C-alpha cells in the first residue's frame, strides 16, 4: 500500500496525509482526512436516506446493486491500475485477487437476496402448532459502519458493503488510509450503478476517522483488520450493546501428510505463503510436514521458491504494501536466525527504494520463534518437521489464532478427519486462501482471529434483525393459561406433562 506520512498543517486546517508509492517511494497523491464532525453529518444523511432505500423491494435493491458488475467490467482496467498504483501488486493479482472475486460476490449476493431475505412462514413444533402460526421477516438494522484493510482494498470493502446494501441498510465505509483510492472505487461503481449518494458513502482518514465512525450513531460495525484495533472496537461496541463482526489476524497452518502429492503440496506451500507478498490473513504461515516425506518436500519447496520472481515490472511478487510491515517481517527473521533457524532461500531486503523483499524459506522452525507464533504477514514459507499427523494437529492448534488452515493429502476422508480436530474457522483440502472467495462458506475466525462470520447462508441476514411474528390461528376470547387460574388450569398443564412429555410416542409427535 502507499507509504503514508502526515503533512504539516496550520491551526484550523484540515489534516492531510501524503501517499508515496511502495514501488519507488515517489509521491502518488494526498488525502484529506474526514473530520469527526463530517462523520457525524454523513451518518445523519445515511440515517435520513435509509427508510427510502429499505422501502424498495429486495429485488429492486438487488437489481440496482447488481448493475455494478457491468460498471466493474467496463472500468476494470482503471480499478486495477489504481490498486497497482497504491500497492504495487502484479497485474495478475490486481485482477485475480480484487476484480474477479468482486464480480462474483456481486453476482452471488444480488441473485440470492430476494430468496434469503423474503418473509416466510416457519413451521412450528409440538403443542403450539394447532393454535399459532409463525412468520419470519427480516428488518434492516439501519446504518452500517464498515472499516476495511489495505491488503485487498477493493474486494474486502465491496463484499460487506454489498451485503449490507441489499439487506436494506445504508452504509458508511472507511477504506485504509494507505489504499484510499482503491477502496473509494467501491462507492464509485455503486453510485454509477444507481445506488443513491447518501445510501453508500466513503469516509477517508486514519484511526481518528475510524474511531469517529465506530462512536457515531450507527447500528452495526463490520471490521477487517488487526487484533489490537479489533479489541478496541469490540469494547466500544459492547459499551453500547452494538452488534459487530471482526475479521482479524491469522497464523494459518498447512499440514502435509505422508500421502500428499508432494509436487502440489510444495507448489501450494510457496504460492499460498507468498502471493500478495504474503499479506493475506489466510496466508500459509506455518508448514508442518510429516518427517517421512520431509526431505523431498523441502527439496521441492526450495526449488519452487527460488524460481519466484520479485521486484518492479512483470514479476510474480510485488513489494510490501506498507513500510511498517516489512519491519515486522525483518524482526521475525532475525529472531528465527538467532534461535538457530536456517534460511535456505531469500531472507533479504530487495535492492532499490521500493519495499521489496526476497521470497524466503525457513527450515528448522519451532514454536519458540515469532515466525511460528506471531502473525508475520510476509512472503515466508516456514517449515517444521513433525513425527506424524497427530503431532501436526497438536502443533497447528498450539496457536492464539484460528482463522483457517490447509491439509494436503490424497485422501479426502482423512482431510475431513483432520479438519474436525483443528480449532480454526475453516479448513481447505489441497488449497488455502480460496475459502474467502466461496460465498456459500461462512468465513470467520476462532480465538484471536475474530468474532462472527462473513459469507455463508447467514451473511445477508446478519445485516438484519430476524423478527419472528407469531399469529393467532383461531383468535379465541382468551388463552388457556391466562388469568384467572383455576383447578382446571393446573389439571390441563399437569396432563400436558404427564400424557404429552411423559409418553415417548407422543413426545416424538411434539418434537
Amino acid at each position: 500500500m502507499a507509504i503514508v506520512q502526515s503533512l504539516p498543517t496550520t491551526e484550523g486546517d484540515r489534516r492531510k496525509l501524503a501517499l508515496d508509492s511502495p514501488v519507488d517511494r515517489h509521491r502518488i497523491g494526498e488525502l484529506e482526512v474526514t473530520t469527526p464532525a463530517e462523520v457525524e453529518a454523513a451518518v445523519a444523511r445515511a440515517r435520513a436516506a435509509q427508510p427510502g432505500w429499505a422501502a424498495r423491494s429486495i429485488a429492486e435493491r438487488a437489481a440496482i446493486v447488481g448493475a455494478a458488475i457491468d460498471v466493474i467490467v467496463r472500468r476494470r482496467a482503471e480499478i486495477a491500475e489504481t490498486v497497482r498504483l497504491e500497492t504495487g501488486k502484479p497485474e495478475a493479482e490486481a485482477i485475480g485477487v480484487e476484480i474477479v472475486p468482486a464480480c462474483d460476490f456481486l453476482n452471488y449476493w444480488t441473485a440470492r437476496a430476494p430468496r434469503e431475505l423474503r418473509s416466510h412462514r416457519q413451521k412450528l413444533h409440538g403443542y403450539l402448532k394447532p393454535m399459532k402460526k409463525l412468520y419470519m421477516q427480516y428488518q434492516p438494522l439501519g446504518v452500517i459502519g464498515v472499516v476495511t484493510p489495505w491488503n485487498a482494498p477493493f474486494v474486502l470493502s465491496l463484499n460487506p458493503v454489498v451485503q449490507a446494501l441489499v439487506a436494506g441498510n445504508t452504509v458508511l465505509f472507511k477504506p485504509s488510509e494507505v489504499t484510499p483510492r482503491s477502496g473509494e472505487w467501491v462507492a464509485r461503481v455503486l453510485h454509477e450503478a444507481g445506488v443513491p449518494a447518501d445510501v453508500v458513502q466513503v469516509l477517508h482518514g486514519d484511526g481518528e476517522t475510524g474511531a469517529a465512525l465506530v462512536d457515531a450513531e450507527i447500528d452495526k460495525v463490520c471490521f477487517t483488520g488487526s487484533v489490537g484495533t479489533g479489541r478496541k472496537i469490540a469494547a466500544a461496541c459492547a459499551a453500547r450493546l452494538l452488534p459487530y463482526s471482526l475479521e482479524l489476524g491469522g497464523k494459518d497452518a498447512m499440514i502435509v501428510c505422508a500421502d500428499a502429492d508432494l509436487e502440489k503440496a510444495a507448489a501450494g506451500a510457496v504460492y499460498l505463503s507468498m502471493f500478495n507478498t504474503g499479506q493475506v490473513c489466510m496466508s500459509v504461515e506455518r508448514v508442518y510436514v510429516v518427517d517421512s516425506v520431509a526431505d523431498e518436500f523441502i527439496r521441492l519447496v526450495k526449488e519452487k521458491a527460488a524460481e519466484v520472481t520479485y521486484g518492479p515490472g512483470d514479476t510474480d511478487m510485488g513489494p510490501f504494501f506498507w513500510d511498517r510491515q516489512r519491519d515486522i517481517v525483518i524482526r521475525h527473521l532475525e529472531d528465527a536466525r538467532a534461535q538457530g533457524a536456517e534460511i535456505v532461500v531469500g531472507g533479504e531486503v530487495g535492492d532499490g527504494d521500493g519495499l521489496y523483499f526476497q521470497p524466503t524459506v525457513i527450515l528448522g522452525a519451532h514454536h519458540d520463534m515469532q515466525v511460528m507464533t506471531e502473525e508475520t504477514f510476509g512472503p515466508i514459507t516456514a517449515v517444521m518437521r513433525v513425527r506424524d499427523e497427530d503431532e501436526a494437529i497438536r502443533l497447528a492448534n498450539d496457536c492464539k489464532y484460528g482463522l483457517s488452515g490447509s491439509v494436503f493429502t490424497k485422501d479426502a476422508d482423512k482431510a475431513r478427519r483432520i479438519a474436525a480436530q483443528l480449532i480454526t474457522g475453516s479448513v481447505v483440502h489441497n488449497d488455502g486462501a480460496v475459502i474467502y472467495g466461496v460465498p456459500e462458506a461462512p468465513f470467520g475466525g476462532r480465538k484471536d482471529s475474530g468474532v462472527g462470520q462473513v459469507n455463508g447462508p447467514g451473511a445477508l441476514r446478519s445485516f438484519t434483525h430476524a423478527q419472528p411474528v407469531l399469529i393467532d390461528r383461531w383468535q379465541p376470547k382468551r388463552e388457556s393459561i391466562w388469568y384467572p387460574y383455576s383447578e382446571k388450569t393446573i389439571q390441563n398443564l399437569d396432563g400436558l406433562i404427564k400424557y404429552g412429555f411423559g409418553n415417548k410416542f407422543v413426545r416424538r409427535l411434539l418434537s
Side-chain angles (χ1 to χ4, degrees):
M1 62 188 179
I3 302 166
V4 179
Q5 303 174 58
S6 293
L7 291 173
T9 57
T10 58
E11 186 176 351
D13 286 348
R14 179 193 296 272
R15 283 202 303 127
K16 291 184 178 181
L17 304 174
L19 309 177
D20 295 340
S21 168
V23 172
D24 58 11
R25 297 180 183 265
H26 81 275
R27 183 62 46 86
I28 58 175
E30 295 181 1
L31 183 71
E32 289 193 343
V33 174
T34 305
T35 67
E38 289 170 332
V39 172
E40 186 177 338
V43 171
R45 293 193 299 272
R47 181 72 64 194
Q50 193 273 328
W53 178 247
R56 299 173 187 253
S57 70
I58 301 167
E60 184 181 1
R61 293 196 301 264
I64 295 171
V65 173
I69 298 174
D70 293 327
V71 180
I72 293 174
V73 170
R74 186 171 63 252
R75 307 194 69 175
R76 63 191 183 277
E78 298 171 80
I79 298 169
E81 181 57 31
T82 302
V83 170
R84 296 191 70 197
L85 181 68
E86 292 188 324
T87 67
K89 290 186 186 190
E91 186 176 7
E93 289 179 358
I95 297 171
V97 174
E98 303 278 3
I99 295 176
V100 171
C103 291
D104 191 47
F105 281 134
L106 270 165
N107 194 47
Y108 183 88
W109 296 124
T110 55
R112 279 157 179 76
R115 180 171 69 249
E116 293 290 331
L117 299 174
R118 74 180 188 278
S119 298
H120 61 93
R121 184 170 171 181
Q122 186 78 31
K123 185 178 179 181
L124 281 171
H125 81 289
Y127 68 94
L128 284 174
K129 190 187 301 183
M131 299 176 286
K132 306 288 184 182
K133 293 185 288 186
L134 177 62
Y135 292 87
M136 295 298 303
Q137 49 199 37
Y138 300 94
Q139 299 175 327
L141 293 176
V143 179
I144 309 298
V146 179
V147 181
T148 58
W150 47 264
N151 58 322
F154 182 66
V155 69
L156 292 184
S157 296
L158 180 136
N159 191 28
V161 168
V162 165
Q163 292 178 41
L165 288 175
V166 295
N169 304 282
T170 50
V171 179
L172 299 102
F173 75 98
K174 190 198 86 65
S176 170
E177 66 272 26
V178 287
T179 48
R181 306 308 177 199
S182 300
E184 189 178 74
W185 266 109
V186 172
R188 293 175 67 181
V189 299
L190 288 167
H191 291 156
E192 192 168 329
V195 178
D198 290 343
V199 169
V200 59
Q201 301 175 66
V202 60
L203 309 172
H204 283 308
D206 49 18
E208 178 184 295
T209 308
L213 176 59
V214 171
D215 291 339
E217 291 300 315
I218 57 177
D219 300 295
K220 180 178 178 176
V221 175
C222 184
F223 172 75
T224 303
S226 70
V227 175
T229 302
R231 291 186 188 279
K232 293 177 183 178
I233 290 173
C237 291
R240 297 162 52 202
L241 300 180
L242 192 69
Y244 60 87
S245 67
L246 306 174
E247 198 271 276
L248 308 178
K251 192 71 184 173
D252 287 7
M254 172 178 167
I255 296 175
V256 182
C257 300
D259 67 339
D261 178 337
L262 296 183
E263 185 75 27
K264 181 173 184 179
V270 171
Y271 177 76
L272 295 169
S273 60
M274 297 184 184
F275 87 98
N276 218 49
T277 320
Q279 298 163 122
V280 181
C281 56
M282 303 91 69
S283 280
V284 166
E285 296 220 353
R286 303 174 286 153
V287 180
Y288 302 102
V289 56
V290 171
D291 190 64
S292 61
V293 296
D295 287 344
E296 177 63 9
F297 173 77
I298 289 169
R299 184 188 71 79
L300 290 167
V301 166
K302 289 165 60 178
E303 178 183 285
K304 295 179 186 302
E307 294 172 350
V308 176
T309 60
Y310 73 101
D314 187 19
T315 59
D316 296 324
M317 199 173 78
F320 281 107
F321 307 166
W322 191 23
D323 49 349
R324 281 181 280 179
Q325 193 58 47
R326 189 172 69 172
D327 296 341
I328 293 170
V329 172
I330 292 171
R331 187 176 73 244
H332 285 192
L333 281 176
E334 289 174 347
D335 173 73
R337 277 195 185 99
Q339 297 193 61
E342 184 182 5
I343 299 174
V344 294
V345 177
E348 300 294 337
V349 172
D351 297 330
D353 293 331
L355 300 180
Y356 292 99
F357 200 88
Q358 296 175 341
T360 300
V361 177
I362 296 179
L363 303 182
H366 55 73
H367 278 219
D368 290 330
M369 298 175 181
Q370 294 173 353
V371 77
M372 295 296 280
T373 56
E374 301 292 333
E375 186 174 39
T376 303
F377 228 55
I380 295 176
T381 306
V383 182
M384 183 174 180
R385 292 173 180 261
V386 293
R387 181 179 59 257
D388 52 27
E389 290 150 11
D390 288 338
E391 185 179 20
I393 293 167
R394 179 180 65 79
L395 289 168
N397 287 333
D398 180 26
C399 184
K400 63 185 178 181
Y401 296 101
L403 189 57
S404 190
S406 306
V407 180
F408 279 72
T409 171
K410 294 175 183 175
D411 185 341
D413 290 335
K414 178 193 287 188
R416 293 182 65 188
R417 290 195 301 271
I418 292 175
Q421 300 174 70
L422 295 176
I423 306 171
T424 187
S426 56
V427 178
V428 183
H429 178 215
N430 293 344
D431 203 346
V434 66
I435 190 66
Y436 182 84
V438 180
E440 296 90 341
F443 183 81
R446 302 183 66 179
K447 298 187 276 189
D448 278 5
S449 287
V451 176
Q453 294 173 315
V454 297
N455 298 343
L460 291 172
R461 292 178 182 176
S462 74
F463 289 100
T464 70
H465 172 71
Q467 184 190 57
V469 179
L470 197 61
I471 299 297
D472 193 353
R473 186 187 289 272
W474 305 114
Q475 303 185 48
K477 295 295 184 183
R478 63 183 296 276
E479 297 295 322
S480 60
I481 194 66
W482 287 5
Y483 295 142
Y485 296 149
S486 66
E487 187 63 31
K488 182 68 172 174
T489 304
I490 296 172
Q491 290 175 0
N492 288 342
L493 293 172
D494 189 65
L496 174 62
I497 297 169
K498 182 177 180 180
Y499 299 110
F501 296 105
N503 182 297
K504 292 183 179 180
F505 175 75
V506 176
R507 194 186 307 166
R508 284 198 297 271
L509 295 178
L510 293 176
S511 63

